[in-house]
Amino acid sequence: MTKDIKKSVKLNALMLKEEFYNDDFINHLTPDIELVSYELQKEHQINGLLYIKKQTENTPNWLSNLQNISEKKIDELKNTSSSAVLFIKTPEEVFAFTFGYGKFMINEARFVQDFGIITALNTLNHESLRSIDLHSFGDQPIQKREQVTKASNINTFGIDISKDILKSVTGIPREGISFRNISGGGVSFVFSHYMIMEEIKDICLLLKQYYKLSNYKTSFSWVDNIRIVKIKDTIDKLNKKLVASLSSKSNSVTVHVPEVIDWNDVIGFSFTRSKKNIQTTLDISNYYKNNPSNYSEKTMNNDYLFVYLTNNLTKQYSLYKSLYYEVKLNQKTYILFSSNWYEIDNSFMNRIKDELNQIPLSSISFPDIEEVKVYNKKKKKYELKLEREDDYNIRTAKLKKYGLMDKKLVKSDRTTTAIEVCDLIRTSKQLIHVKHRKGGSAGLSHLFAQGHVSAETLLGDKNFRKETRKVLKKIKQNTNLIPLNSFQSSNYEIIFLILGIGKNELKDKLPFFSKVNLTKTYENLTQKGFDVTINSVPIKSYK
């Protein structure tokens, strides 16, 4: 009788991919583990197998620190870990249930990658979420966890669906779901359930049913937009395509500095095998010039991008982390960005392209950015360098008779730091934000964020407008360009000017995540009444 009493059991479930259904259970575990297998009791008529990892006893790493100050030898501190995986095979699916540290026995590549997150979203009450884990790609990829003290809906967490990837979620089950303490992310769905273990076969049927539901699309359809690729086999295939493109010197690969830096301090760039050949522009073609004939993945992983600064410092970045690459594999679109591969939903990709096409090009003509000669005191010789961003702004302001607002910081109670209103301002109320294209996705995302924050702060903060008028007075511009009262956003055009690329190829050459950030900025600012346009200028070579 005792064994028939239902108890609360915590389960961590994974669902095997269909193509591995007929493989032996042991193939779904990581290799080189000492295991003991156990058959299941035949009376329960469950097709499955239990694997237990043989226990080993280890001392904790910090024991030696304590032993150094202890009078006697410490024998009581030992680490042991218990790990088990239970496989259950139904007529349609194979499920794995891990116990203890059993999740580290699993070969995740063989399991459905979104089973955990989708099953959780299909079984949770979307108005009663407790916590979420996100991967956000703004200026730089960021991992973050958001928690609330009271169960809330998704709007409470301030998610930006154009930038944030939902990794895991925890919450309260919706009505009609008998599971409790639900959480899910990636391949794993974790829950508690009052049951006897003989019911595990019925639990498998429920899990398959819950995964196949489409409830999540009510509030979370956007989770399908972008997904981080974690499967080694897929990453290996994508890296092979990347290596093939690098080997053939394809222009489909671009290179960027993978962090936000001060571009005014940059002298030039070089790569492994041509470190002394410093170029003023960051271009993949300069890397290709010195590629070995037997180019391989090992070559790519061992190569570096070098960035030379005016203070005689040199920064180096892994080439792999500095590459940006879009590619198709099995009818799916993948993007390499900051050493991570992302799978992009094709409909989302097309939507971003359509939204980008709606953003008008500015009709204003700007001067090209120039290559200039700079004297290197250490090397005692002149070197070519791409015109500094601030020098370009000074030259353009003088040539076009614009107000120079670059580096004129204005404080606001609504922002954590003082901000630039813009880099250049025209008498016709156009606020121009300028950034080198060579900054890549991080720099461009920073550009769009800067223009967004500035415009919103001008619209909503009277004191910020007051301080901006003081700056305008100092640079001898009409203070009425920014009225203290009755600020009308419809009177202003926000222009994003990107240096180092021709206008005809501007939209196509933007990295995908910069396209996402730009379309989001355009949507937000135009909804507030601003006109938003983009523009670019090519590089004028030194003669």
Side-chain angles (χ1 to χ4, degrees):
M1 288 293 292
T2 304
K3 70 175 184 178
D4 293 328
I5 297 175
K6 293 188 177 184
K7 297 180 179 180
S8 180
V9 180
K10 184 177 181 180
L11 295 172
N12 179 28
L14 303 87
M15 186 169 73
L16 194 74
K17 291 179 179 177
E18 290 182 7
E19 60 261 38
F20 303 121
Y21 178 82
N22 292 316
D23 290 3
D24 292 338
F25 294 135
I26 198 168
N27 292 331
H28 313 318
L29 300 175
T30 54
D32 303 323
I33 299 178
E34 285 195 76
L35 299 169
V36 180
S37 62
Y38 294 83
E39 299 285 343
L40 305 185
Q41 295 176 13
K42 293 180 180 179
E43 63 187 89
H44 300 307
Q45 297 182 345
I46 298 174
N47 184 358
L49 196 62
L50 174 64
Y51 287 96
I52 305 293
K53 180 183 177 182
K54 287 186 177 181
Q55 287 189 333
T56 57
E57 195 174 74
N58 301 300
T59 57
N61 293 331
W62 42 264
L63 176 59
S64 60
N65 297 326
L66 299 181
Q67 189 65 71
N68 290 336
I69 60 172
S70 174
E71 181 71 23
K72 297 180 181 180
K73 183 178 179 182
I74 302 172
D75 294 319
E76 291 79 10
L77 292 174
K78 302 291 182 181
N79 280 338
T80 58
S81 59
S82 301
S83 307
V85 178
L86 172 63
F87 287 104
I88 302 295
K89 191 171 189 177
T90 71
E92 294 183 350
E93 304 292 344
V94 173
F95 286 88
F97 296 88
T98 67
F99 299 85
Y101 291 90
K103 63 181 179 180
F104 298 110
M105 298 166 59
I106 290 289
N107 179 358
E108 287 194 357
R110 288 181 158 251
F111 292 84
V112 178
Q113 291 303 292
D114 63 356
F115 172 73
I117 188 68
I118 296 300
T119 307
L121 292 175
N122 282 335
T123 53
L124 286 171
N125 180 345
H126 293 177
E127 299 297 315
S128 299
L129 305 180
R130 294 285 190 186
S131 71
I132 59 173
D133 284 9
L134 298 170
H135 183 97
S136 182
F137 55 89
D139 292 352
Q140 291 291 309
I142 297 172
Q143 308 275 358
K144 56 186 178 181
R145 171 169 292 175
E146 302 282 352
Q147 295 177 306
V148 291
T149 55
K150 181 181 179 182
S152 305
N153 64 30
I154 193 63
N155 296 325
T156 306
F157 294 90
I159 291 178
D160 185 339
I161 65 173
S162 68
K163 296 181 180 182
D164 295 333
I165 302 171
L166 187 63
K167 294 182 64 182
S168 66
V169 61
T170 302
I172 297 171
R174 61 181 172 84
E175 188 175 348
I177 300 296
S178 59
F179 298 161
R180 301 176 300 112
N181 304 321
I182 291 173
S183 65
V187 298
S188 297
F189 176 65
V190 182
F191 62 101
S192 297
H193 188 55
Y194 280 101
M195 58 180 289
I196 54 177
M197 284 305 293
E198 292 90 323
E199 296 175 333
I200 195 74
K201 187 166 59 174
D202 298 328
I203 295 296
C204 291
L205 297 176
L206 266 181
L207 290 173
K208 172 69 177 296
Q209 176 186 329
Y210 290 153
Y211 174 68
K212 290 296 184 180
L213 295 174
S214 57
N215 298 47
Y216 79 95
K217 294 188 177 181
T218 303
S219 304
F220 293 91
S221 60
W222 50 273
V223 302
D224 294 327
N225 289 347
I226 306 172
R227 300 181 184 183
I228 298 177
V229 180
K230 293 184 177 180
I231 300 304
K232 186 179 184 302
D233 181 58
T234 304
I235 292 172
D236 288 344
K237 290 177 181 177
L238 292 169
N239 282 337
K240 284 182 179 179
K241 280 185 167 287
L242 171 61
V243 169
S245 291
L246 289 169
S247 184
S248 64
K249 301 182 180 181
S250 169
N251 60 9
S252 64
V253 187
T254 57
V255 61
H256 308 278
V257 177
E259 68 174 353
V260 177
I261 62 175
D262 187 349
W263 289 97
N264 290 327
D265 293 335
V266 175
I267 291 177
F269 313 89
S270 70
F271 299 95
T272 301
R273 292 180 299 280
S274 58
K275 190 174 180 181
K276 294 183 179 180
N277 185 20
I278 301 172
Q279 301 292 319
T280 58
T281 57
L282 182 55
D283 197 299
I284 193 69
S285 63
N286 295 321
Y287 173 69
Y288 288 153
K289 290 175 182 176
N290 295 280
N291 273 1
S293 57
N294 58 339
Y295 193 89
S296 65
E297 187 168 345
K298 183 179 179 180
T299 309
M300 175 184 71
N301 290 329
N302 290 334
D303 283 357
Y304 286 89
L305 162 68
F306 301 98
V307 181
Y308 299 89
L309 307 176
T310 52
N311 53 9
N312 290 319
L313 290 178
T314 302
K315 287 191 173 186
Q316 68 179 50
Y317 304 91
S318 159
L319 178 74
Y320 187 66
K321 189 173 183 178
S322 307
L323 295 176
Y324 179 87
Y325 181 55
E326 297 181 14
V327 67
K328 291 271 190 180
L329 178 67
N330 299 328
Q331 305 303 312
K332 295 179 180 178
T333 301
Y334 294 90
I335 288 175
L336 176 68
F337 170 65
S338 195
S339 73
N340 287 313
W341 282 102
Y342 297 86
E343 179 187 336
I344 312 296
D345 179 71
N346 287 331
S347 60
F348 179 58
M349 194 97 172
N350 292 331
R351 188 168 82 243
I352 293 298
K353 183 178 180 180
D354 291 341
E355 291 174 359
L356 189 66
N357 288 335
Q358 295 176 19
I359 303 176
L361 295 172
S362 168
S363 59
I364 299 173
S365 175
F366 292 96
D368 295 347
I369 186 169
E370 299 177 346
E371 281 188 333
V372 294
K373 265 191 172 182
V374 176
Y375 186 72
N376 188 319
K377 292 181 180 179
K378 187 176 181 180
K379 296 181 179 179
K380 296 181 180 180
K381 67 175 184 178
Y382 283 96
E383 296 176 330
L384 284 180
K385 178 191 173 187
L386 197 60
E387 187 176 19
R388 289 163 51 106
E389 194 175 291
D390 55 353
D391 288 340
Y392 176 85
N393 289 333
I394 292 170
R395 181 167 64 88
T396 301
K398 185 181 294 186
L399 181 67
K400 308 287 278 187
K401 295 182 171 54
Y402 297 162
L404 182 63
M405 301 286 283
D406 186 18
K407 299 183 180 180
K408 309 293 192 299
L409 300 180
V410 181
K411 291 183 179 181
S412 169
D413 294 335
R414 300 190 178 196
T415 60
T416 54
T417 59
I419 60 175
E420 286 182 349
V421 178
C422 57
D423 292 302
L424 302 166
I425 189 169
R426 299 183 81 214
T427 55
S428 50
K429 295 188 176 181
Q430 281 140 330
L431 309 180
I432 305 162
H433 299 269
V434 182
K435 187 66 66 179
H436 271 296
R437 177 218 181 186
K438 64 184 179 182
S441 187
L444 294 176
S445 295
H446 182 73
L447 169 70
F448 304 139
Q450 176 183 306
H452 187 188
V453 171
S454 166
E456 284 199 331
T457 310
L458 280 171
L459 182 61
D461 187 347
K462 182 177 180 180
N463 189 60
F464 182 73
R465 295 197 295 271
K466 180 180 178 181
E467 295 303 313
T468 300
R469 286 165 61 87
K470 291 180 182 178
V471 173
L472 290 171
K473 187 175 182 180
K474 284 183 181 179
I475 63 171
K476 298 180 181 179
Q477 293 291 310
N478 186 348
T479 57
N480 288 329
L481 284 173
I482 305 293
L484 186 60
N485 299 302
S486 302
F487 182 91
Q488 298 292 324
S489 59
S490 57
N491 293 333
Y492 292 85
E493 179 183 352
I494 310 299
I495 301 175
F496 294 109
L497 177 61
I498 300 172
L499 308 179
I501 185 172
K503 186 183 288 191
N504 292 335
E505 57 182 351
L506 171 58
K507 291 183 179 180
D508 289 335
K509 292 293 185 181
L510 285 178
F512 177 75
F513 292 141
S514 293
K515 293 177 182 178
V516 172
N517 286 317
L518 174 57
T519 56
K520 184 69 174 178
T521 298
Y522 176 79
E523 178 186 2
N524 288 339
L525 292 184
T526 52
Q527 285 178 353
K528 291 177 172 64
F530 292 97
D531 287 331
V532 179
T533 61
I534 57 174
N535 208 331
S536 65
V537 293
I539 297 171
K540 183 179 180 181
S541 299
Y542 180 82
K543 294 181 180 179

